[in-house]
Amino acid sequence: MGTFVLLGVSLMIVFVVYLFRNAQKDMEYILDTTNRQFYDKLEFIADGAVSIRRNTVLTEFLERGTTDTEEAQRQLTYAIELMSDRNMVNQIPFVESVYLFNNQGRFLEDHYYPSTVSALKEAHEEVKKQLEEYKQSNRQYAFLKGAADGKINLYFRMYDGKLTQTGICVVEIQEEAIREIFKGIEDYENSAWMVLDGGGQILVSQENS
């Protein structure tokens, strides 16, 4: 079992494995490698959030909403870098989309895949609906399943240097990428894995594959 905390976001990974003695060292290596790869993807998200906080254009957008939107959009792309190798799991993006909302309800967005106008409209409606649900809670973060299969939206709050909330960031994670990270464990008979959030909600598990 492993627990990861980044940006106040807690995730727990549970492994259940029954091993013969001669397979134990091999499995320990697989578990360690899997843990490290998953942690690296969470760290990619955390580093993106830090880059947003340190970016003067994005800070202006969050705190005042008066910045050049086109330039802010470009800066968000630079801050998150969805096209970077750090975001990839065997050619599958871990983070598919990111949204940055300020307190006035304006938002910036970036996506790994191009999309049609109608598909974007549906995505916006879903994210905004979940956003209102999240705003009404006191949670620092929340994992909310998307209407489309295979999507997990991570919502977390953005703060300035005085710990005043300036907005909310939404990161869309692909279940397919998570499964790709953990698939090595499934080669072992009588093994199982699951990823839970800090509240014990199962986000992804081998049983759901």
Side-chain angles (χ1 to χ4, degrees):
M1 182 173 70
T3 302
F4 304 101
V5 180
L6 287 169
L7 292 175
V9 176
S10 176
L11 280 174
M12 183 166 59
I13 301 173
V14 177
F15 302 108
V16 179
V17 187
Y18 299 96
L19 296 172
F20 294 109
R21 184 170 296 177
N22 60 0
Q24 185 172 352
K25 287 187 177 180
D26 183 41
M27 190 61 194
E28 286 175 354
Y29 171 78
I30 294 294
L31 293 178
D32 181 63
T33 302
T34 300
N35 270 331
R36 214 174 324 114
Q37 188 177 11
F38 191 67
Y39 180 88
D40 286 346
K41 299 310 173 192
L42 297 181
E43 193 170 43
F44 167 74
I45 296 174
D47 288 347
V50 171
S51 294
I52 290 172
R53 289 171 180 163
R54 291 177 176 173
N55 187 293
T56 55
V57 174
L58 296 176
T59 297
E60 176 77 13
F61 171 79
L62 285 171
E63 294 182 357
R64 300 177 183 84
T66 55
T67 192
D68 181 336
T69 303
E70 289 187 8
E71 178 59 24
Q73 185 66 61
R74 283 192 290 270
Q75 293 300 321
L76 179 63
T77 299
Y78 298 149
I80 300 295
E81 295 186 303
L82 296 183
M83 300 296 177
S84 71
D85 290 341
R86 290 188 66 197
N87 188 37
M88 304 307 294
V89 182
N90 296 336
Q91 300 185 348
I92 303 169
F94 187 80
V95 175
E96 184 173 331
S97 300
V98 59
Y99 300 87
L100 184 64
F101 288 84
N102 63 20
N103 289 336
Q104 291 76 45
R106 294 177 60 198
F107 69 96
L108 307 171
E109 62 187 310
D110 193 26
H111 306 275
Y112 182 86
Y113 296 112
S115 186
T116 63
V117 173
S118 60
L120 278 177
K121 182 180 178 181
E122 288 182 10
H124 293 168
E125 290 174 353
E126 177 177 73
V127 168
K128 288 179 179 179
K129 181 180 178 181
Q130 291 182 340
L131 181 68
E132 291 306 312
E133 176 186 340
Y134 173 60
K135 281 181 178 179
Q136 292 173 13
S137 73
N138 293 320
R139 292 177 290 178
Q140 290 301 307
Y141 74 93
F143 288 94
L144 301 175
K145 291 291 190 78
D149 291 338
K151 310 292 183 185
I152 301 172
N153 292 330
L154 166 59
Y155 289 73
F156 57 91
R157 302 178 191 275
M158 304 294 296
Y159 297 93
D160 63 14
K162 297 180 180 178
L163 298 181
T164 300
Q165 183 177 326
T166 56
I168 292 172
C169 189
V170 185
V171 175
E172 185 182 84
I173 300 171
Q174 289 205 85
E175 285 187 19
E176 181 184 5
I178 297 176
R179 296 188 190 284
E180 186 70 16
I181 291 173
F182 287 93
K183 72 177 184 179
I185 296 169
E186 298 174 12
D187 293 335
Y188 291 83
E189 189 176 358
N190 299 321
S191 66
W193 62 267
M194 64 180 66
V195 178
L196 303 88
D197 67 9
Q201 172 191 202
I202 297 176
L203 300 175
V204 192
S205 70
Q206 182 173 334
E207 288 75 14
N208 293 335
S209 299

